[in-house]
């Protein structure tokens, strides 16, 4: 892959900053009125919003309604908050706050401004790209006075950094005053001529001031001439302002006769720039955007004794000569003054001293074409194309001072700037790459045009109006592709996150760093690149990464580019998304005394409020949360051991909603509470009990007015406090960080203990619940299953001749030094087993088969086999001197390719057997009651065990072909030991044994699952006569209508009977299928845990809203 070495740093790089001159500067002492507070909500807009209550309309300073500020959907550097002031205003200061009462604030931001809302300019200070310091908490105000101020209608705040423990949150204010503006627009052919009434007798000083903006890099701003070629002219030349001073000793443009002063750069950027020219005799002071140049002419030459007229926007035709063939100005002037005279005002009033030539208007239109600025070598723009098109047409203009950089990249071509020249690289499948260059010195900071057209096998390229010859043109049809990359160093790979945003960082790298881990650690194979895979090497390179920023996950798409060239390849694999749970779901606090509580900012639920949380307690009563007003209040409490109440007052008197439970709620288990109140009703729900609802009075008060702090776990009076745990507290959909507040509050501890008492039942199949700081986890070490809740069966496909042998003695030797529990000591050689539990599931079509065999050092054994007719047979031999006990479990053929489960539980001489969770039998052993000196467990083809009977040996020699899963003997799980990497070497695998996703699909990998099908009985669906014979020709035709009706009725009855029979048959088949495939423990544990998460989300989504 071949990334572009450099990058185009400037398509309109904003180096010039609008500066107000000293003469134009106003007294800003009184220009500090708040401008945003009086604006309607529609004047605020944003890139996105987290919810309706987090919209930009709530972003006024000190505003508390809604969620108390603006918060975007995703917190990243691509978000913005915008204000429309309604008209151009002078802006002198800005102020910011975070989101009210939250952990959301912005610590650094950029400020941009615009006249029309399309062409933006970044506020800068001292010619540097400059960010504003933001907030360090949510409620303090950070005020910043702008030096210098600026004029704009639109402002845009771009967050750069924010509280790492929260989100982006902003409330803002803008300060300034009204701005008076007079404008005139020149079309490149027009001008104004100002003629003095009479020439002053003793001129002392000339002062010319104005603002201008244009998209053209050349043009006359003003000109005043005199005798013998003496003149003073201000001209825009290649984006710079040049003041030409001619002393009159020779004609222009002789270099010895004039002085040229140049200031500014890239002034043709469609932004306003200020100009001030002051002439005093031979002294000249020239200022552009607060940058000043002083000049003094030699001798006694003066630039004041010129003609009594001055032209603006160009030189009148009768004054222009071949020696001065310069272009007129194309753009806008603002506030044009000559020695204090308002030239634009005189022009608008058509005063006689003003001569208007050409098409001059007195408003400034916004540009139709808006440039794009690439501020770093890694910046780029992605545009969508039309996939499958055999033609393409692209035209663009660029300017830069960089000698190299990417201009355009598509599926079949790359257009770059290389050594100041345009280089076109064509890459078509099956053909060698071809390069063509054009132009020279194109990195001069001026605009240059490139157009490209491809259709069929023809390609044309034009650079600055000159056609470029492309050798051989295209070879075969082209595909324009569906993506175009413009500017910057386009990465050759990126991924798309959940909000459909593009990310170029990889594992081990911070977001927006655009580096892989080796780039941050500076150990990439090629130091020029920040990822190994970006280097164009002749051998394979790789980057192994882990993406862990959950705000961007999951990965929706991975893109690899630059693989269309010959001998260029790329490959990637994407692992599973591993989730560790909802952070707020386990966010909890423990309240240890009745006088302890957590306090938060006032709850804002004037017209609509919803609250939800989990609690756990052994106390008989206690207040969960309370917020007070002058007379209004809202409260949730455990009023009695089996009673939760929701009470509030909005001015109509107290209203109480109560839910009573048939069992006590102070049982030290988690219980869920959700309360909601709006202008129509109030409701309360506890766990999955029936909810209670109270309607609001029809003509009563509706607004809940609170002013105290929100108390959680207690009250303002420190009475009736809550003893226990509260977690996952949400108010109006926002999670409160209980743990953060608990760390700094006496009597309250972050986190809760005892999660296993409520959620331990979710650990299935022998899994053990373990407590964690946040939540619980299932330990599946002694389970034949795996996964978060020990529900994922460990399965393996056994090929012909394969086997797994699990050695109990090796297992004991490895674990005895690490674990002294009785489970480990279970398999010592001299230990006697008086009982054990054996489980397994299988799917096969082969008979006879050995499903499982456990041997001992004393020639005792247990074998589970399928006989030649497919029936299940269990053989116990617990005494070497006796024949084995043989238990035939019916005569059903279990080698039918379906999944079957077997559970064997032995207690002394009593053996209980269960097949497919439905059929159960019991057997009394006669060979003994103790299993002595257990040695090994064998699956598949074996030789032995020693002393085994003929049927076991015959089945062992045949082995097992198919799928085995959930194999367990006591605490031993042989398949987990055989298939899990890094486990002790207690299992030996021989032959083709491969991990399988589960035995419910097929007995062989890649084999299609056996489908259960049904067909209508009696040949339904056939065409023609039902008996296959010829239709009758002797039927009575005297009344065909009656006969036809009878036939119709008979056919209808037959179809109904057939449909009923089919439905009964299908229900029987589904019942049998569900019986054979029914899960061992009912619903999955994930569903049980997610149901509690869903209770919260459902509560939020089902919140009732009323519109009028």
């Amino acid at each position: 892959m071949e990334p572009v070495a450099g990058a185009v740093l400037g398509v309109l790089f904003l180096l010039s900053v609008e500066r107000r001159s000293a003469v134009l500067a106003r007294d800003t002492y009184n220009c500090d009125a708040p401008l945003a507070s009086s604006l309607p909500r529609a004047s605020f807009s944003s890139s996105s919003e987290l919810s309706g209550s987090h919209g930009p309309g709530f972003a006024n300073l000190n505003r508390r309604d809604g969620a108390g500020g603006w918060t975007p959907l995703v917190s990243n550097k691509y978000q913005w908050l915008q204000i429309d002031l309604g008209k151009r205003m002078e802006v002198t200061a800005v102020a910011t706050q975070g989101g009210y009462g939250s952990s959301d604030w912005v610590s650094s931001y950029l400020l941009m401004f615009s006249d029309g809302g399309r062409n933006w300019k970044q506020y800068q200070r001292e010619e540097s790209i400059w960010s504003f310091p933001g907030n360090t908490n949510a409620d303090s105000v950070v005020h910043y006075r702008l030096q210098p101020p600026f004029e704009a209608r639109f402002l845009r705040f771009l967050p750069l950094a924010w509280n790492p423990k929260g989100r982006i949150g902003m409330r803002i204010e803008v300060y300034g005053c009204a701005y008076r503006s007079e404008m005139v627009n020149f079309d490149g052919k027009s001008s104004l001529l100002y003629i003095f009434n009479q020439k002053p007798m003793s001129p002392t000083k000339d002062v010319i001031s104005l603002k201008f903006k244009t998209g053209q890099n050349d043009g006359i701003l003003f000109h005043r001439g005199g005798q013998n070629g003496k003149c003073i002219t201000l001209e825009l030349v290649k984006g710079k302002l040049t003041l030409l001073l001619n002393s009159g000793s020779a004609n222009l443009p002789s270099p010895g006769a004039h002085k040229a002063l140049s200031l500014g750069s890239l002034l043709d950027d469609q932004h306003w720039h200020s100009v001030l020219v002051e002439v005093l005799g031979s002294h000249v002071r020239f200022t552009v955007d607060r940058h000043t140049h002083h000049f003094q002419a030699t001798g006694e030459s003066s630039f004041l004794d010129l003609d009594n007229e001055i032209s603006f926007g160009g030189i009148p035709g009768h004054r222009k000569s071949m020696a001065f063939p310069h272009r007129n100005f194309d753009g806008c002037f603002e506030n044009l003054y000559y020695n204090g005279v308002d030239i634009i005002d005189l022009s608008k009033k058509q005063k006689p001293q003003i001569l208007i030539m050409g098409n001059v208007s007195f408003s400034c239109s916004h540009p139709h074409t808006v440039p794009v600025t690439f501020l770093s070598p890694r910046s780029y723009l992605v545009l969508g194309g039309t996939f499958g098109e055999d033609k393409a047409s692209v035209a663009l203009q660029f300017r830069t001072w960089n000698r190299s950089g990417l201009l355009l990249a598509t599926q079949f071509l790359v257009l770059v700037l290389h050594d100041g020249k345009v280089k076109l690289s064509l890459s078509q499948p099956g053909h060698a790459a071809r390069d063509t260059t054009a132009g020279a010195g194109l990195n001069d900071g001026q605009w240059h045009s490139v157009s490209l057209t491809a259709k069929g096998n023809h390609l044309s390229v034009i650079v600055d109006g000159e056609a470029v010859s492309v050798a051989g043109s295209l070879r075969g049809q082209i595909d324009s592709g569906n993506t175009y990359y413009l500017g910057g160093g386009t990465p050759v790979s990126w991924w798309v996150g959940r909000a459909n945003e593009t990310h170029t960082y990889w594992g081990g790298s911070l977001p927006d760093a655009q580096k892989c881990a080796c780039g941050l650690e500076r150990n990439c194979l090629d130091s020029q690149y920040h990822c190994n895979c970006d280097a164009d090497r002749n051998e394979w390179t790789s980057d192994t990464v882990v993406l862990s920023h959950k705000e961007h996950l999951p990965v929706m798409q991975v893109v690899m580019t630059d693989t269309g060239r010959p001998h260029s390849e790329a490959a990637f694999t994407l692992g599973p998304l591993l989730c560790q749970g909802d952070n707020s779901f386990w966010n909890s606090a423990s309240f240890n005394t009745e006088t302890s509580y957590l306090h938060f900012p006032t709850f804002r639920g004037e017209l609509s409020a919803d609250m939800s949380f989990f609690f756990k307690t052994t106390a008989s009563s206690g207040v969960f949360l309370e917020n007070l007003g002058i007379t209004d209040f809202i409260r949730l409490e455990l009023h009695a051991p089996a009673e939760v109440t929701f009470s509030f007052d909005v001015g109509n008197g107290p209203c109480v909603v109560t839910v009573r439970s048939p069992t006590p709620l102070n049982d030290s288990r988690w219980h869920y509470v959700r309360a909601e109140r709006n202008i129509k009703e109030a409701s309360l729900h506890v766990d999955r009990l029936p909810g209670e609802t109270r309607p609001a009075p029809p003509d009563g008060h509706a607004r809940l007015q609170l002013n105290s702090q929100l108390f959680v776990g207690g009250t303002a009076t420190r009475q009736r406090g809550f003893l226990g745990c509260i977690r996952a507290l949400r108010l109006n959909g926002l999670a409160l960080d209980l743990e953060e507040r608990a760390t700094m509050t006496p009597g309250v501890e972050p986190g809760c203990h005892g999660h296993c008492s409520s959620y331990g039942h979710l650990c299935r199949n022998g899994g053990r619940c373990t407590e964690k700081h946040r939540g619980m986890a299932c330990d599946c070490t002694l389970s034949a299953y795996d996964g978060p809740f020990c529900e994922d069966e460990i399965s393996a496909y056994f090929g012909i001749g394969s086997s797994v042998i699990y050695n109990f003695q090796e297992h004991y030797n490895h674990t005895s030094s690490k674990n002294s529990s009785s489970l480990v000591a279970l398999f010592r050689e001299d230990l006697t087993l008086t009982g054990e539990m054996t489980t397994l599931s299988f799917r096969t079509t082969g008979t006879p088969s050995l499903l499982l065999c456990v041997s001992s050092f004393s020639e005792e054994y247990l074998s589970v086999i399928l006989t030649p007719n497919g029936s299940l047979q269990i053989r116990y031999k617990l005494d070497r001197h006796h024949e084995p006990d043989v238990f035939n479990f019916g005569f059903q053929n279990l080698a039918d390719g379906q999944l079957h489960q077997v559970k064997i539980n032995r207690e002394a001489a009593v053996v209980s057997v269960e097949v497919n969770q439905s059929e159960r039998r019991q057997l009394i052993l006669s060979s003994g009651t103790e299993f002595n000196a257990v040695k090994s467990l064998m699956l598949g083809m074996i030789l032995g065990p020693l002393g085994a009977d003929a049927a076991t040996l015959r089945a062992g020699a045949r082995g097992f072909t198919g799928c085995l899963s959930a194999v367990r003997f006591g605490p031993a799980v042989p398949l987990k030991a055989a298939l899990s990497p890094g486990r002790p070497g207690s299992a030996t695998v021989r032959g083709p044994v491969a991990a399988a996703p589960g035995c419910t699909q097929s007995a062989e990998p890649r084999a299609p699952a056996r489908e259960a099908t049904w067909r209508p009985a009696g040949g339904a669906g056939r065409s023609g006569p039902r008996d296959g014979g010829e239709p009758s020709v002797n039927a009575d035709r005297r009344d065909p209508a009656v006969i036809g009706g009878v036939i119709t009725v008979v056919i209808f009855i037959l179809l109904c009977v057939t449909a009923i029979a089919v439905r009964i048959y299908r229900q029987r088949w589904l019942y049998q299928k569900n019986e054979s495939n029914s899960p061992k423990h009912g619903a999955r544990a994930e569903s049980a845990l997610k149901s509690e998460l869903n209770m919260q989300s459902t509560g939020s989504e089902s919140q009732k809203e009323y519109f009028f």
Side-chain angles (χ1 to χ4, degrees), residues 645-699:
T645 61
F646 172 36
S647 56
F648 59 91
D649 188 350
V650 295
N652 306 316
C655 177
V656 181
V657 185
T658 302
V659 170
R660 294 178 176 86
S661 170
T663 58
L665 299 173
N666 60 339
D667 56 358
S668 193
R669 297 176 66 87
W670 287 110
H671 298 281
Y672 178 67
V673 176
R674 177 168 61 86
E676 180 185 346
R677 179 259 162 192
N678 53 49
I679 61 176
K680 299 291 290 185
E681 63 185 16
S683 62
L684 177 65
H685 297 267
V686 178
D687 292 335
R688 300 190 181 277
L689 298 172
E692 290 291 331
T693 302
R694 293 287 183 273
D699 299 319

Side-chain angles (χ1 to χ4, degrees), residues 928-952:
T929 60
E930 298 176 344
F931 203 159
N932 299 295
V934 177
K935 177 183 178 182
S936 60
L937 184 150
M938 296 163 283
L939 306 172
M941 190 176 73
I942 62 171
L943 297 176
L946 186 65
D949 60 276
T952 299

